[in-house]
Amino acid sequence: MNRSELVAALSERAEVTRKDADAVLAALAEVVGDVVAKGDEKVTIPGFLTFERTHRAARTARNPQTGDPIQIAAGYSVKVSAGSKLKEAAKGK
């Protein structure tokens, strides 16, 4: 399902216009992005998803072409965890 299909499904299920559904989806993405960028808290949609920023330590890796060790700087990543309702839906129950 791509974005336009998701917007169409949301608008139909919530009985709103596609424009309104698209605006809500864009606002959700923006808010989640802002909170994760700050990194001081996580975003939880109970039973569905949790988004949080995690710290990745500096490490040594290998260049796959040459085998030489390379240094990878410390940084941040995003951890997305599925909630109980989403896990049950994935099982087909």
Side-chain angles (χ1 to χ4, degrees):
M1 176 180 277
N2 61 30
R3 182 186 175 102
S4 61
E5 292 169 340
L6 178 60
V7 167
L10 285 171
S11 68
E12 188 175 309
R13 179 84 48 105
E15 298 179 356
V16 297
T17 66
R18 286 187 182 195
K19 184 176 179 181
D20 290 343
D22 188 48
V24 169
L25 186 60
L28 175 66
E30 187 176 323
V31 169
V32 170
D34 290 347
V35 172
V36 168
K38 289 179 186 174
D40 55 352
E41 60 184 318
K42 59 185 176 180
V43 177
T44 301
I45 302 171
F48 187 61
L49 288 173
T50 300
F51 303 89
E52 68 180 308
R53 185 169 93 166
T54 59
H55 183 265
R56 295 178 63 185
R59 62 195 186 279
T60 302
R62 294 216 175 263
N63 181 327
Q65 291 181 335
T66 64
D68 295 337
I70 58 173
Q71 293 297 318
I72 298 176
Y76 295 98
S77 182
V78 176
K79 179 180 174 185
V80 180
S81 303
S84 59
K85 291 179 185 175
L86 186 59
K87 288 179 184 178
E88 287 299 315
K91 291 179 184 177
K93 293 184 178 181

